[in-house]
Amino acid sequence: MAFRTSSMSWRTSDDFERVGLMVVSANYFDGLGVRAQMGRAFTASEADPKLAPRQIVLTHPYWVGRFG
């Protein structure tokens, strides 16, 4: 499993928000033994860097802070 940290600009309705992120390998969540609380994480086929759009998994604190 592998990861790297980065950041991006997330467009909101009328502004941009700088967001910290981690780019992770397909087996990252399995390696940690963690499951998504809602929805799901991504599969190995969805982790292909050639795919667009890319998949994201939001943390619970970000979900609550951003989307209530």
Side-chain angles (χ1 to χ4, degrees):
M1 68 187 219
F3 74 93
R4 69 177 166 87
T5 59
S6 188
S7 63
M8 65 176 266
S9 294
W10 182 297
R11 185 182 175 112
T12 60
S13 57
D14 54 353
D15 201 6
F16 286 92
E17 173 184 355
R18 197 74 177 157
V19 178
L21 59 94
M22 291 175 61
V23 179
V24 301
S25 60
N27 65 344
Y28 183 78
F29 297 105
D30 289 337
L32 291 177
V34 224
R35 303 184 102 183
Q37 185 175 359
M38 293 177 60
R40 63 179 179 81
F42 50 86
T43 64
S45 63
E46 292 170 321
D48 185 335
K50 298 173 189 157
L51 291 178
R54 302 294 298 270
Q55 304 295 315
I56 64 168
V57 176
L58 300 176
T59 64
H60 181 72
Y62 185 83
W63 176 264
V64 171
R66 179 72 176 91
F67 301 106

